[in-house]
Amino acid sequence: MSNRPNFGEEPHPARNKNASLNREVPPLERCYVRSVPTDARPTPRIRDGVRAALPLVLGPLLFGLSFGVLAEAAGMSTAAAVVMSATTFAGSAQFAAASVLDDGGTVVAAVVSAVLLNARYVGQSIAAASIFPGSRPRRFVESQLIVDESWALSGRSGRFEWPILVGAGLLLYVLWVSSTAIGSVVGSALGDPSDLGLDAAFAALFLALAKPYLREHKAVAAALVAAAITLVLIPIAPAGVPLVVASAACLLGLRR
Amino acid sequence: MNDVWIVVLVVGAFTMVFKAAGPVFLGRRKLPAKAQSIVDLVAPVMLTALVVTQTVGSDEEIVLDARIPGVAAAAIAIWRGAPIVVAMFVAALVTALVRLGA
């Protein structure tokens, strides 16, 4: 795809050297130059990230709608539900907070459960830290596009890629916020996304994305330890804690 | 300010700081080799833990339901080299069919 000539397309900033090459060499030689594969692993573009997230759109769409419905039932105004989706942008934590409120739980219980669920993002953002370019404010804004799916997709080639994270993150963000608004306004006329098996589809997504990492013995060992910790903790610890404690399995990296 | 808005704003603020932690405070600085070898395992570890919580987790208990055959079918597809979309579709289809039959 990237070896295809990109006539009339805006050159990507990361490919400046190719862009200047295209302008300077005469047409015939350009064809020759283009036909030689210069880069075995081309730099992806933001639109590649959008494309990578396309197969996932049904999930955020339906879960966003149902978050809106739940939020409305929990006494959240449409504005509050939309602000939560725009700032927290993480399904599980939002569902947790809204269902605590819906069950008549306290503010503290709702906050603690959601914050625990999202604590895993500290590890994810540290793992992807080096791919964010530019100034500190810019990195702050773009890092908000980290969500399990965009983060996992951006590491699909074995190293994290900024255009994939931003492209996938943007698509998921727009879908999530807008479907929350629709769900909150339209109300509970909608079915349960679980009827479509979408909960299992996300497990399959994470499994598929884990596969390339599981070639090394050390990674397999760490993954098995993490799975064991998660299984043991799910029934005895508050939601979110198993994911955070499981990340202790990363300490296996210290072993030779 | 009512309770709902306190929850929305506090959770939002925490999450934004969590997500920004690496890119803003660490940036492109290179981690020491030991720390890097720990961080290298974040992806396989976190993805595996997410597979477990998504497959058998449900509000602080382990629930064995239609998700298991769905994810198992997807695992076979992934192992045989199926693309991500196909794996997700297989998981959803098998899970939905089992739920329909139950």
Side-chain angles (χ1 to χ4, degrees), chain A:
Chain A
M1 184 206 72
S2 61
N3 288 333
R4 206 175 53 189
N6 53 346
F7 296 109
E9 284 184 47
E10 203 61 40
H12 187 264
R15 293 171 151 188
N16 273 338
K17 48 176 200 268
N18 290 349
S20 61
L21 195 67
N22 289 346
R23 252 179 263 118
E24 281 156 24
V25 284
L28 268 178
E29 280 162 71
R30 275 168 70 179
C31 297
Y32 172 71
V33 170
R34 280 217 180 93
S35 68
V36 179
T38 48
D39 191 358
R41 259 234 298 244
T43 318
R45 298 166 175 214
I46 288 181
R47 83 165 81 117
D48 295 324
V50 174
R51 204 171 292 149
L54 277 180
L56 320 181
V57 296
L58 200 57
L61 207 60
L62 295 181
F63 283 107
L65 284 170
S66 50
F67 171 70
V69 172
L70 173 65
E72 201 249 3
M76 292 171 78
S77 61
T78 299
V82 170
V83 168
M84 189 171 210
S85 281
T87 56
T88 299
F89 183 39
S92 53
Q94 293 180 227
F95 275 103
S99 49
V100 169
L101 290 176
D102 189 33
D103 295 342
T106 62
V107 169
V108 174
V111 168
V112 169
S113 61
V115 167
L116 283 175
L117 271 167
N118 279 347
R120 68 179 182 283
Y121 283 115
V122 175
Q124 297 186 8
S125 89
I126 288 175
S130 65
I131 65 169
F132 287 87
S135 66
R136 219 172 265 256
R138 180 180 163 189
R139 281 179 272 158
F140 178 84
V141 171
E142 288 174 354
S143 68
Q144 299 310 311
L145 295 174
I146 296 177
V147 66
D148 289 329
E149 293 80 8
S150 67
W151 177 81
L153 282 172
S154 75
R156 63 187 179 167
S157 71
R159 64 192 165 111
F160 290 99
E161 293 173 311
W162 175 86
I164 304 289
L165 196 150
V166 169
L170 276 175
L171 176 63
L172 297 172
Y173 189 88
V174 169
L175 286 172
W176 183 245
V177 174
S178 49
S179 60
T180 299
I182 296 168
S184 174
V185 172
V186 172
S188 50
L190 305 144
D192 182 354
S194 298
D195 289 343
L196 297 173
L198 283 173
D199 43 355
F202 280 91
L205 168 70
F206 296 129
L207 187 62
L209 291 166
K211 186 190 167 197
Y213 289 99
L214 300 178
R215 292 203 188 99
E216 241 184 294
H217 281 301
K218 204 195 269 179
V220 173
L224 289 175
V225 171
I229 294 174
T230 311
L231 275 176
V232 168
L233 288 183
I234 286 173
I236 57 177
V241 172
L243 287 173
V244 174
V245 179
S247 52
C250 297
L251 291 174
L252 281 179
L254 292 176
R255 284 184 46 196
R256 300 265 163 90

Side-chain angles (χ1 to χ4, degrees), chain B residues 6-17:
Chain B
I6 296 174
V7 171
V8 168
L9 296 179
V10 174
V11 172
F14 265 101
T15 308
M16 290 172 88
V17 171

Side-chain angles (χ1 to χ4, degrees), chain B residues 22-99:
Chain B
V24 169
F25 301 116
L26 197 64
R28 304 199 146 192
R29 228 169 301 158
K30 257 199 170 291
L31 287 172
K34 279 198 170 168
Q36 188 60 51
S37 60
I38 294 174
V39 169
D40 284 343
L41 289 178
V42 170
V45 159
M46 197 62 79
L47 291 168
T48 309
L50 283 167
V51 171
V52 173
T53 56
Q54 289 282 316
T55 309
V56 297
S58 174
D59 292 338
E60 293 182 41
E61 50 182 343
I62 288 187
V63 175
L64 307 180
D65 61 15
R67 289 173 294 179
I68 293 179
V71 176
I76 294 170
I78 292 165
W79 175 57
R80 312 233 0 210
I84 292 175
V85 202
V86 174
M88 291 180 75
F89 179 73
V90 166
L93 183 69
V94 172
T95 302
L97 285 177
V98 173
R99 276 190 184 134

